[in-house]
Amino acid sequence: MTAAATSLFVERLSAGYRGRPVLHDLTLSPLPAGSMTALVGPNAAGKSTLLRAIAGLVPATGAIRLGGLDLAAADRRRRAGAIGFMPQSLPDGAELTVLEGVVAALRAAPADDTAPHPQDVHLRAVAVLERLGIAELALRGLGRLSGGQRQMASLAQTIVRDTLLLLFDEPTSALDLLHQVEVMSVLRGLA
């Protein structure tokens, strides 16, 4: 696939929440495949809203395309199969273990309509935890993790599906300096 085939295009995007517009008529330069782009700006500038609009998590108008895929018109399954999104934090009260959370993320939007073998899903989830250096957390409950550990678990959930586009909302905010460097290295490798 060429870079143009998987570039992200955002044109005339407007998005917001229940009658409160946040973004209006936003157009970005095409973001080529293999690139890392940082959204930088003050709090409440619309950075998270933009990511959530691209991921299809907030109502939006305008054009959002990933190569030839019209994300704005794609159904949830197709969009989830193309985009991985890591929110600023995992929801509170999660009763899953780290491994169960990664397995659930992998099963949420398989790349095709065939269900992967349960053993393959488990092995893939464990491989991602090992890649991130958090395999020792596999059987710990998400609700019992520190902020940084929860962020690493969320990162594992996001990258396990190997999607074309990864969106991260403050992926290093709760991490110490060493883990920030490690996460950025992993993200660069994924790009």
Side-chain angles (χ1 to χ4, degrees):
M1 211 179 267
T2 66
T6 55
S7 292
L8 177 66
F9 299 88
V10 176
E11 298 165 343
R12 301 185 57 96
L13 180 72
S14 295
Y17 304 90
R18 296 192 181 157
R20 185 175 61 87
V22 176
L23 303 172
H24 178 70
D25 221 18
L26 174 71
T27 296
L28 301 175
S29 297
L31 302 173
S35 67
M36 288 180 62
T37 301
L39 296 174
V40 180
N43 291 340
K47 301 178 301 291
S48 294
T49 301
L50 173 59
L51 295 177
R52 293 176 61 77
I54 293 169
L57 301 173
V58 298
T61 60
I64 307 169
R65 294 186 326 274
L66 184 59
L69 176 60
D70 181 354
L71 292 172
D75 64 29
R76 283 184 181 268
R77 181 176 177 83
R78 180 92 166 119
R79 197 174 197 145
I83 299 173
F85 174 71
M86 180 180 160
Q88 287 182 19
S89 62
L90 290 172
D92 289 328
E95 296 297 327
L96 299 174
T97 65
V98 171
L99 181 60
E100 289 168 336
V102 175
V103 166
L106 185 55
R107 288 186 175 147
D112 56 35
D113 290 332
T114 61
H117 189 278
Q119 184 176 359
D120 294 337
V121 169
H122 181 82
L123 291 173
R124 191 163 162 189
V126 169
V128 166
L129 295 176
E130 288 174 348
R131 180 178 187 182
L132 294 177
I134 59 169
E136 74 280 358
L137 301 178
L139 300 179
R140 296 218 9 224
L142 290 169
R144 300 193 189 301
L145 301 177
S146 72
Q149 290 171 329
R150 286 172 59 93
Q151 202 152 9
M152 294 298 289
S154 182
L155 177 61
Q157 291 175 13
T158 304
I159 68 173
V160 72
R161 289 185 293 115
D162 196 27
T163 57
L164 291 173
L165 176 64
L166 293 168
L167 304 172
F168 301 98
D169 195 349
E170 300 188 26
T172 61
S173 63
L175 301 177
D176 59 50
L177 187 56
L178 174 64
H179 285 99
Q180 288 179 25
V181 171
E182 288 174 357
V183 164
M184 294 310 294
S185 176
V186 167
L187 298 185
R188 185 69 209 134
L190 291 168

